[in-house]
Amino acid sequence: MARGIASGKRLSKGSWSRMANRLGMPRISYQYHKLIMSELLINYFHDKELCSMITNTLKIVTLFCLVLMLVGCSSKVDLLETEEGFFFADGIFFAKGIPYAEPPVGDLRWRPPVDMVFDEKLHLYSEFGASCLANKKKPFSSVLSEDCLYLNVWSPDLGGKLPVMVWIHGGGLSNGHGNVAGELLAEKGVVVVSLNYRLGPLGFFAHPELETNDPNFGFQDQISALRWVARNIERFGGDPERVTIFGNSAGALSVDILTTHPEAGGLFRRAVAQSSYIGWQRHFMQKLHDDTKTDFSGRKLGIAEDQAISFVTGAGIESGTSLGKLRQQDPILFTNQQKVQILPIVDDDAFKVDHFGCVRDEKCGNQIDAYMTGFTSFEGQWLSRRWLADDKNQEWIRNNWEKIRVVYRDDVQKRVELAHARFIGDMMFLNSSHLSAVANFQNGTKVYTYYTDAGIVFENGDKIGTPHGADSNIFWTQEYDDKNWDKLRKHYYENLVNFAHGRDLVGNGHWKAWSDDAQYWQVLGDDGDNAMPVMRDRLRLTEYFYNRTH
C-alpha cells in the first residue's frame, strides 16, 4: 500500500481497503466507506464543529500516511489481507495452499485427480499447504502428507490481464515441492503459479489392477492444476490465454510430456523445459515392452508393472494383494521402498512410445506458439556418480573411452572424473534438449535454445561450469549474491519473462530463434552469443551414441 501512495497512484477499491486496515478502520465494504465520506462532506459546510474535527483528523491521517510512505521506502510492508480475501505483502498479492483437487487418499489413491471447485471464502490461505510424500532419505520439505494437491498464486495486479507462468518443480519425480518464493518472479510483471503433484510410488504406479490406462498420476495432477488455472486465474489478474508452463529437471521432463499429453491440449501456449531428460531412460508398460528397447548403453528398459509389484513386496505385502486393500495401507510403506529416481511410464497414450515423433506430428502433439529448452554446462556433477556406480555402465565407458576422451580432452587433462561427469550430463540433458528442439521446430513451433555456463563450479582456479539445478535455485532465492549468480539470475528473469510476454529475447544482445540450418544456442550466465562452436563436438558424440540404439 505504501508504494501506491508514494507513487501518487489513485487509490483503488483494494488499495482503500488496505489503507483502512492499516489505519485501524473496521473491515467494512468499500461502498460503505464512500457513503460515510459522502455524508461527512455534505455536512461539512453546515457544521463548524464537524468541520474542525475533520480538519484535525485529516491532519493526523496525512501525517500517518507520510510515515507509511517513509517506511515503505525502506522496509518490507507487513502482511495484509484484502477485502476479497487475498493477501498482500511488499507490492504482491498472493494466496497459498489452494486445493485444486480432492485429497488423493483412501479410495482416490492411484486414481486420476478429481478437480475441486474454487471457493474464495474457503480456499485462500497465507501459508503453504503440505508437500507430497517423498523419498524418505532426502525429503525437500519437513511437512509431508498424502493430502498434498495444493497450488500457490502470486500477482502484481489483481485487475490486470497479465501472462501466467506455471512452475512445475523438479526432484526426479520422487522429491520436491512447489512451495517457493514466487513473489521474486511476480514482481517482474507476470502472474506466478506453483503446484505440488504426487511423487514416487504414489504418483507413478502401474499396478495390473489399475482402473485407468495411465499410471502417471503425477502428470495428471499437473493437468488438473492447469485446468484450475484456466478456470480461475482471471481472478488473480492473469490471462488464461497466455499461460506458459516451465520447469527444471523432472519439472522440465513434465513440461515435455505435457506438450503431447491428450488431456493437456489448450491449457498452455508456451513451454520452457530447463534441463529436461525426455530422451533418457523410462519404464514401459508390459504390453509395449520387448527386448529391443534399450538405453544408449544397451541396457534393457524396465517393465513398469514389475516395479509396482516390487514396491508392494518390498513393503512386506503379498504380491497378489488387491488394489483395494493396498489403498487401505499406510502410504509410508510404499514411499519407503523407493530406492532410486522414479522414471516416467510409457503407456503410448499419455506418454508416447515415440514422443519426438508425436511432437513433430501436428495431429498428435498439442499445438503451442513457442518452445524454449536448454541445459547447463556441467549437468553431470552429481548425477554421473550414480550412473557410474553400476559395473555394466563402467564397462560401457571403458569400451567407448577413446571417442569420449577426444571430445572431452580438456576435462581429461584436469581430471578423468570431470570428463565422465560432463559426458553423462550431456547424454542426459544436451541430447534431450537437441531432440526436443528439432521436433518442435519441425512442427512449426518457434524454438529458442540456450546453454547456461555461469561460473558456479571451479577447480584449482579453473571454471568448470554450471551444475544441474543451479538455474532452478536462482528463481526462488536471493541468497546467492556474487557476480556470477547475479548475471545468471538477470539473464533468466529477463528472458523468461520476455518469453511469457511474447517479446523478443535478448540474451547478451539479441537471442536468435533456433532452426535446423542455423542452430543458435544462446549463452546464459556468462558473456557470449552462440554456444554452438563450444558444444558442436559434444552434440555430435551424444547423437552418435543415441542413434545407435534408436
Side-chain angles (χ1 to χ4, degrees), residues 395-466:
E395 180 182 0
W396 186 90
I397 287 285
R398 288 192 296 270
N399 292 339
N400 294 277
W401 178 241
E402 281 306 307
K403 289 184 174 64
I404 298 170
R405 182 186 62 80
V406 171
V407 172
Y408 297 90
R409 53 188 173 275
D410 291 343
D411 287 324
V412 172
Q413 290 175 2
K414 295 183 181 72
R415 191 158 53 87
V416 169
E417 289 78 9
L418 291 179
H420 290 165
R422 203 180 305 273
F423 167 69
I424 297 303
D426 286 353
M427 281 303 308
M428 194 169 183
F429 301 102
L430 162 56
N431 184 56
S432 294
S433 296
H434 183 254
L435 289 168
S436 290
V438 171
N440 278 278
F441 176 80
Q442 292 176 349
N443 184 35
T445 301
K446 194 167 189 178
V447 173
Y448 293 93
T449 57
Y450 67 83
Y451 174 75
T452 296
D453 191 30
I456 305 300
V457 177
F458 288 83
E459 189 166 298
N460 299 322
D462 295 329
K463 183 178 106 172
I464 304 302
T466 308

Side-chain angles (χ1 to χ4, degrees), residues 86-120:
F86 302 107
F87 298 91
F88 179 82
D90 204 27
I92 299 296
F93 298 92
F94 67 92
K96 301 176 181 178
I98 301 172
Y100 65 83
E102 296 289 344
V105 301
D107 191 52
L108 292 183
R109 181 187 294 170
W110 299 313
R111 291 186 190 273
V114 178
D115 293 355
M116 183 176 285
V117 176
F118 177 53
D119 187 338
E120 292 180 359

Side-chain angles (χ1 to χ4, degrees), residues 181-198:
E183 66 274 9
L184 298 177
L185 185 57
E187 65 186 19
K188 308 299 180 184
V190 293
V191 174
V192 176
V193 179
S194 67
L195 59 108
N196 297 335
Y197 56 92
R198 280 174 281 183

Side-chain angles (χ1 to χ4, degrees), residues 257-269:
I257 288 175
L258 294 185
T259 64
T260 61
H261 198 296
E263 295 182 15
L267 295 176
F268 57 93
R269 298 303 308 171

Side-chain angles (χ1 to χ4, degrees), residues 63-84:
L63 178 62
F64 190 74
C65 287
L66 287 172
V67 171
L68 286 179
M69 287 169 60
L70 294 174
V71 171
C73 292
S74 60
S75 63
K76 196 164 185 174
V77 179
D78 294 335
L79 175 66
L80 302 173
E81 184 176 356
T82 70
E83 183 180 83
E84 298 85 355

